Amino acid sequence: MKGRLMFSPLLQSIVEREGYRVVTDDDLSAAAEPVLFTMLFVAGDAERIAESNDVAVVVPELDKAFEGAVTVLVADRDSERDIQRRYRFNAFPALIFLRHGEYLGCIQRVQDWTDYLRAIPDILAREPSNPPPFKFPDGCGAPQPNLQH
């Protein structure tokens, strides 16, 4: 499967053990619309982002904590940038929450367990909306000085 981005061995084993469906940007809507709540895990490159495997380990625990009320999907590595553009988050890993395929919210990077347990019910209680605009880091997007003399 040369040319395809691969999951870390840890995430691959979690996907197989838990039976999580891996989705592309193209089939995400078809997978998410029929279910009430979706938690889409967008891992990012575990070789560059240490938090990727940390969140991968947390996902099945969150699945158990919410007693199956949230359907877990995992974004195909080759679709991560398209999904990032679609939901406008700026940090990997990310958990995207949907209600019948409509955007509710996002949690980026690894969080404390209690923060997940507090934030997720708040996100699931929201009305669907458009994802927020991209947020640029401080200093990015600032007007550039005119360097012409």
Side-chain angles (χ1 to χ4, degrees):
M1 294 192 1
K2 191 172 182 173
R4 286 190 35 89
L5 298 172
M6 303 300 289
F7 292 135
S8 71
L10 175 67
L11 178 54
Q12 186 63 43
S13 70
I14 291 169
V15 166
E16 291 170 7
R17 182 185 73 225
E18 301 294 332
Y20 292 146
R21 180 173 173 184
V22 176
V23 295
T24 65
D25 185 50
D26 292 335
D27 61 2
L28 173 58
S29 293
E33 286 173 9
V35 298
L36 182 57
F37 293 116
T38 299
M39 178 172 67
L40 174 65
F41 178 45
V42 189
D45 183 357
E47 290 185 20
R48 294 185 328 104
I49 305 165
E51 293 179 339
S52 177
N53 278 334
D54 295 338
V55 176
V57 170
V58 170
V59 166
E61 298 307 314
L62 290 171
D63 189 13
K64 289 179 185 87
F66 288 92
E67 301 175 342
V70 177
T71 298
V72 176
L73 300 175
V74 179
D76 181 81
R77 290 285 336 273
D78 290 324
S79 289
E80 288 176 344
R81 291 296 178 185
D82 291 331
I83 290 170
Q84 182 182 32
R85 282 188 287 278
R86 182 178 186 172
Y87 295 113
R88 300 191 286 253
F89 60 92
N90 61 4
F92 291 93
L95 296 172
I96 309 296
F97 295 89
L98 309 170
R99 180 186 299 134
H100 291 298
E102 294 184 276
Y103 181 82
L104 296 174
C106 176
I107 298 174
Q108 300 175 85
R109 303 185 190 263
V110 70
Q111 305 292 315
D112 290 330
W113 181 250
T114 55
D115 293 335
Y116 285 119
L117 296 183
R118 183 174 37 253
I120 293 172
D122 289 345
I123 291 170
L124 298 179
R126 294 177 186 166
E127 289 300 314
S129 66
N130 290 324
F134 274 114
K135 292 181 182 168
F136 293 98
D138 290 341
C140 290
Q144 298 297 314
N146 185 348
L147 299 177
Q148 294 177 335
H149 292 55

